Amino acid sequence: MQATSIAGKRVVVAAPSRARQVARNVRLSTVCKVHKICVLPGDGIGPEIMNVATKVLTAAGKKEGEEFEYHYELIGGAAIDATGVPLPDKTLQTAKACNSVLLAAIGGYKWDTLPSAQRPERGLLAIRAGLNAFANLRPAIVPKQLADSSPLKRELVEGVDILIVRELVGGIYFGQPRGFGTNEKGERIGYNTDVYSEPEVERIARVAFEAARKRGKRLCSVEKSNVLEVSQLWKEVVIRVGKDYPDVELSHMYIDNAAMQLLRNPKYFDVIVTGNIFGDILSDEASMLAGSLGLLPSASISGSGPGIFEPVHGSAPDIAGQDIANPLAQVLSAAMMCTYDLNIPKVAARLQSAVDKALDDGYRTSDIYKQVPGTKLVKCSEMGEILLKSVSA
């Protein structure tokens, strides 16, 4: 073991393994790759759930011969308090130098009164843009163990498995011009610009088609082409790209209808591809099919360079420090990181299996707990110990 100081925090990192015995009388000298992870605990419950995730990830990696080097940095409100900005240059440079980024949560009531350009959420937008993480992958899966926790009827949600592919660095959140002004009547106005180029639409469409090809081979493109020119361009480009994927069934749906169908008939969907603002809305809606935001991970990938892996939920400042947060989405975000960025699927499978076993055994944090036979209420740290024991077995 070796100790190192990372962003002012003393972290113990396992030294790389020198050799692995592969047969009784044969020894091959090998050196395990050390995966460099930029860790961003952020705000609110972020440090609590990140503490669980890194411990469990380290243990799972050890069982599979993989090692991790954690580089802790600041983002969001914590960065504002320490440096005055939501994304310090040092954080972005560390992220670019690592193999992947594991993020917990940002924001909180404390910073709600700051000007919009200085709020914690700007740090998240900036790191996405800085890493060119243009594709956000958000699974919405309802585990059989928790189908009764959904606000919808069990028969509607049991077996739901949706992947929402959201364009993440374009559209109305980044379009220019934006700001405040005065109209011809002297009234104060606010304005934003929803704009996409053909290359931006094409690259996100290809990510979605490739994902659909590996799943149920069905892709639904969501837009508002009956009203918006930007959506008309979106639809045209998606149709053109679809000709390269004849094995994938392509459908189209207006955003208002898609929002309704997610509640009325969620099993209709396999993969959804959509723009930034529509994806923001639909992915949060879809996450509640499982009854809790605390269960769902997400990935923001660029195709080259490190991606960003984070839970769907927010920082939950009202429960921060109480040891009652649900760490499962953070652990599953680490599993997605192992799959998409690090290419170590055995570690990902070990993490997923540990989460499945914990749910099968009836362990529940307060957000998903119901007083029914076979369930046990546990704290965040206790869930961490349960997962740790499972991945180490």
Side-chain angles (χ1 to χ4, degrees):
M1 304 294 286
Q2 61 187 27
T4 183
S5 179
I6 301 172
K9 183 172 183 177
R10 188 172 176 81
V11 181
V12 176
V13 181
S17 173
R18 294 296 182 186
R20 184 184 304 166
Q21 184 174 339
V22 295
R24 183 175 180 180
N25 297 317
V26 179
R27 293 179 183 271
L28 295 179
S29 178
T30 63
V31 178
C32 294
K33 179 180 179 181
V34 176
H35 306 280
K36 295 173 62 178
I37 311 301
C38 178
V39 179
L40 306 176
D43 309 316
I45 62 172
E48 300 168 59
I49 59 176
M50 185 64 81
N51 183 50
V52 169
T54 52
K55 286 181 178 179
V56 175
L57 176 60
T58 298
K62 185 177 180 181
K63 293 295 290 187
E64 299 296 343
E66 305 289 348
E67 298 174 11
F68 303 94
E69 180 180 290
Y70 300 119
H71 297 256
Y72 287 80
E73 295 292 351
L74 299 172
I75 193 171
I80 292 171
D81 289 348
T83 70
V85 294
L87 181 67
D89 290 340
K90 184 173 182 291
T91 298
L92 182 57
Q93 293 310 311
T94 298
K96 289 181 176 180
C98 287
N99 302 116
S100 194
V101 177
L102 189 61
L103 170 68
I106 62 170
Y109 311 129
K110 177 181 179 180
W111 305 280
D112 281 351
T113 59
L114 291 176
S116 60
Q118 300 174 21
R119 291 184 182 176
E121 293 76 14
R122 286 291 167 185
L124 181 57
L125 295 178
I127 196 169
R128 288 171 176 171
L131 296 178
N132 193 30
F134 70 89
N136 181 234
L137 311 181
R138 281 200 180 187
I141 301 171
V142 181
K144 65 181 185 300
Q145 308 97 321
L146 299 176
D148 289 328
S149 297
S150 173
L152 300 182
K153 294 180 179 178
R154 185 183 187 98
E155 57 266 27
L156 280 177
V157 299
E158 186 173 13
V160 163
D161 185 354
I162 303 169
L163 178 65
I164 298 179
V165 180
R166 167 191 170 193
E167 200 291 323
L168 203 57
V169 297
I172 200 166
Y173 291 167
F174 291 90
Q176 297 290 342
R178 63 185 295 156
F180 299 96
T182 305
N183 64 17
E184 62 277 4
K185 298 180 181 180
E187 300 164 335
R188 189 165 181 256
I189 62 171
Y191 54 92
N192 295 85
T193 302
D194 194 1
V195 57
Y196 274 112
S197 66
E198 286 192 2
E200 286 176 324
V201 179
E202 180 172 345
R203 68 179 182 177
I204 193 67
R206 291 196 181 277
V207 170
F209 275 108
E210 292 290 343
R213 178 174 272 176
K214 297 173 183 177
R215 290 169 47 97
K217 293 182 168 54
R218 291 185 294 113
L219 176 63
C220 180
S221 175
V222 173
E223 24 75 4
K224 192 64 175 172
S225 57
N226 60 332
V227 175
L228 302 175
E229 285 80 4
V230 65
S231 286
Q232 292 167 17
L233 175 71
W234 179 282
K235 186 174 181 179
E236 290 173 8
V237 174
V238 171
I239 290 173
R240 172 166 54 80
V241 173
K243 294 178 181 178
D244 294 337
Y245 299 87
D247 54 324
V248 177
E249 177 188 338
L250 174 63
S251 61
H252 304 272
M253 193 174 291
Y254 297 145
I255 177 61
D256 42 356
N257 187 30
M260 179 181 70
Q261 295 302 330
L262 268 178
L263 300 179
R264 182 176 179 271
N265 184 23
K267 294 179 188 177
Y268 167 81
F269 298 102
D270 178 23
V271 178
I272 295 172
V273 63
T274 191
N276 208 340
I277 189 169
F278 295 159
D280 195 1
I281 296 167
L282 289 181
S283 56
D284 277 359
E285 179 187 1
S287 68
M288 285 310 297
L289 295 174
S292 173
L293 290 171
L295 294 169
L296 301 176
S298 74
S300 301
I301 59 176
S302 66
S304 61
I308 306 167
F309 298 83
E310 59 182 306
V312 168
H313 62 69
S315 62
D318 52 321
I319 64 169
Q322 299 179 39
D323 196 24
I324 60 174
N326 187 341
L328 296 183
Q330 187 72 66
V331 173
L332 292 174
S333 295
M336 287 190 78
M337 177 181 71
C338 292
T339 298
Y340 287 95
D341 256 11
L342 306 182
N343 193 28
I344 44 175
K346 289 184 178 180
V347 178
R350 189 172 284 272
L351 294 173
Q352 180 69 61
S353 295
V355 170
D356 291 342
K357 186 177 187 306
L359 294 176
D360 284 340
D361 291 345
Y363 295 110
R364 306 284 189 268
T365 47
S366 59
D367 58 313
I368 55 175
Y369 176 69
K370 286 188 174 182
Q371 287 185 326
V372 295
T375 61
K376 307 157 197 164
L377 179 63
V378 295
K379 294 183 178 295
C380 177
S381 57
E382 291 173 330
M383 182 66 84
E385 291 301 317
I386 292 163
L387 297 175
L388 196 60
K389 181 179 179 180
S390 183
V391 299
S392 301

